[in-house]
Amino acid sequence: MSLVKLEYIWLDGYKPTQSLRSKTKIEKDFSGKLEDLPMWSFDGSSTEQAPGGSSDCLLKPVFVVNDPQRKNAYLVMCEVLNADGTPHVSNGRATIEDDDNDFWFGFEQEYFLWDPATNKPLGFPAGGYPGPQGPYYCSVGANNAYGREIVEEHLDVIIEAGLNVEGINAEVAAGQWEFQIFSKGAKQAGDQIWIARYLLERIGEKYGVAVNWHCKPLGALDWNGSGMHANFSNSLLRTAGSKEIFDKVCEAFRPVVKEHIDVYGADNHLRLTGKHETASIMDFSYGVSDRGASIRIPVMVPQKGWSGYLEDRRPNSAADPYKVAARIIKTVKSVG
Ligand code: ADP
Ligand code: MN
Ligand code: MN
Ligand code: MN
């Protein structure tokens, strides 16, 4: 017999941005299989998910990976259910309509590594600013790249956990980084982003470095904000073979700008200004290779005879990938 640590992870009920919560369950001889994980519960009155008088919320395991940083351990992503077993209102994952995993998502998660002492990104001197943007993107060297130790440890750990990470890069602002995760199946893509966020936060604890997911943590100054570009496709787009289908799918997004922005992360008006490689939050546009558009059609789409995927550039770094995916799927499916 061996004891196994199961870290049950869920999203709380805070608005407008939900945060990660987790607690450890010790079990005997866990098989490693999702279906062998028991339901669990927590005090929803401590997470803005239930009143104190009837506080129990349920945790339903939906995705499990190894936890490479703990002995005999697993990370268990959970959906939150009400006591009667129905999905809790905070449960974005339950709203995803992709049971056949036809939708593929690649999220580009940007974030700032943040010094809690200075309340500034790594690389920002206390009480001042580093040199202007330009040298930081994809940089190397102690003058320009800050926090690589954390980023590298995170990369190793998410690979070891079995997440489908596709790359990392230093971003445009000092102390800003990105990782990309791709999955066939919208729910699994969201699960992987959340587990990767969890591991980054936890690794940061060791270094005394926080992660700032806010989309514009430096306000209106001339520093890029953080996005979570959503690259997506379904079999329609992957096998389209015609510009008309791409135009039709893109046009389906035009009348539902508000519905999309509603789930694309808090404070996005601060980021989607029309500057810093963004489109204005009020506008809707799309174009081949256009990083100033709401939706970019990657240049390889026309090159491959109009088949492939689209990039919605509007979701921000603090958005819930479940809700982003659910809304994109709804809009794409509205195309007959
Ligand atoms: P960029 O920084 O140029 O916008 P990245 O290389 O950071 O692009 O991210 C592109 C993302 O697109 C990757 O995460 C990749 O997995 C994803 N992607 C590629 N092909 C598809 C596809 N057919 N469907 C969905 N996502 C895709
Ligand atoms: Mn990228
Ligand atoms: Mn980027
Ligand atoms: Mn991108």
Side-chain angles (χ1 to χ4, degrees):
M1 185 197 80
S2 72
L3 297 179
V4 176
K5 298 168 203 138
L6 305 171
E7 193 69 8
Y8 276 50
I9 301 168
W10 73 96
L11 303 180
D12 68 21
Y14 275 66
K15 286 175 186 163
T17 303
Q18 295 173 261
S19 286
L20 287 159
R21 305 281 178 142
S22 73
K23 58 177 183 169
T24 308
K25 190 175 195 352
I26 304 296
E27 287 278 319
K28 289 176 199 144
D29 296 325
F30 169 54
S31 68
K33 289 191 197 128
L34 180 64
E35 57 267 30
D36 293 331
L37 286 165
M39 297 273 294
W40 204 13
S41 60
F42 68 98
D43 168 14
S45 74
S46 296
T47 58
E48 312 241 306
Q49 281 164 311
S54 57
S55 64
D56 284 356
C57 290
L58 304 179
L59 293 173
K60 177 191 171 194
V62 291
F63 182 73
V64 60
V65 293
N66 286 315
D67 185 343
Q69 294 193 306
R70 256 172 140 190
K71 238 192 250 177
N72 293 330
Y74 294 84
L75 300 161
V76 181
M77 196 65 212
C78 296
E79 281 189 27
V80 174
L81 308 181
N82 300 306
D84 66 1
T86 56
H88 192 270
V89 62
S90 64
N91 181 348
R93 191 181 191 277
T95 68
I96 295 174
E97 288 172 29
D98 182 36
D99 290 338
D100 56 358
N101 293 333
D102 185 43
F103 278 83
W104 301 356
F105 276 87
F107 289 109
E108 302 168 59
Q109 174 74 65
E110 296 177 340
Y111 60 93
F112 279 86
L113 292 177
W114 203 260
D115 184 345
T118 60
N119 198 28
K120 289 272 169 59
L122 295 194
F124 278 53
Y129 291 91
Q133 290 187 165
Y136 306 111
Y137 174 73
C138 295
S139 62
V140 64
N143 278 332
N144 293 322
Y146 305 101
R148 190 184 299 279
E149 207 180 353
I150 297 171
V151 173
E152 289 293 335
E153 182 170 336
H154 179 246
L155 179 59
D156 281 338
V157 168
I158 60 179
I159 288 172
E160 219 182 312
L163 303 188
N164 194 44
V165 57
E166 297 211 314
I168 57 169
N169 58 273
E171 265 302 337
V172 173
Q176 190 187 32
W177 295 82
E178 168 179 313
F179 61 82
Q180 303 107 33
I181 284 185
F182 171 83
S183 182
K184 298 180 178 180
K187 289 183 180 178
Q188 292 83 344
D191 296 336
Q192 295 198 32
I193 285 288
W194 278 115
I195 297 274
R197 287 180 179 180
Y198 175 88
L199 286 166
L200 185 59
E201 293 267 17
R202 201 178 66 184
I203 290 165
E205 290 174 15
K206 282 202 300 183
Y207 295 86
V209 171
V211 184
N212 194 326
W213 305 103
H214 192 272
C215 69
K216 202 73 185 176
L218 297 162
L221 299 169
D222 205 12
W223 293 94
N224 272 31
S226 297
M228 186 181 65
H229 298 166
N231 300 274
F232 62 92
S233 64
N234 65 348
S235 45
L236 175 70
L237 289 170
R238 289 190 294 269
T239 62
S242 94
K243 178 175 182 296
E244 286 63 42
I245 289 176
F246 272 78
D247 286 344
K248 216 169 159 188
V249 170
C250 289
E251 283 299 336
F253 283 72
R254 190 183 295 282
V256 285
V257 167
K258 183 180 182 304
E259 289 81 351
H260 281 259
I261 295 298
D262 281 349
V263 295
Y264 279 5
D267 296 332
N268 223 358
H269 60 288
L270 302 176
R271 166 178 165 261
L272 297 179
T273 57
K275 284 164 55 182
H276 301 118
E277 295 179 57
T278 69
S280 163
I281 195 163
M282 306 306 297
D283 296 343
F284 178 78
S285 58
Y286 59 93
V288 174
S289 209
D290 187 353
R291 284 168 197 269
S294 314
I295 293 183
R296 177 175 66 98
I297 302 170
V299 68
M300 74 250 279
V301 167
Q303 283 172 0
K304 288 186 177 169
W306 289 95
S307 294
Y309 67 101
L310 290 168
E311 177 191 49
D312 192 332
R313 300 178 57 80
R314 297 170 297 170
N316 78 32
S317 47
D320 175 358
Y322 296 137
K323 290 184 184 155
V324 170
R327 183 60 240 189
I328 287 174
I329 289 169
K330 199 168 175 186
T331 299
V332 174
K333 281 188 171 176
S334 74
V335 176

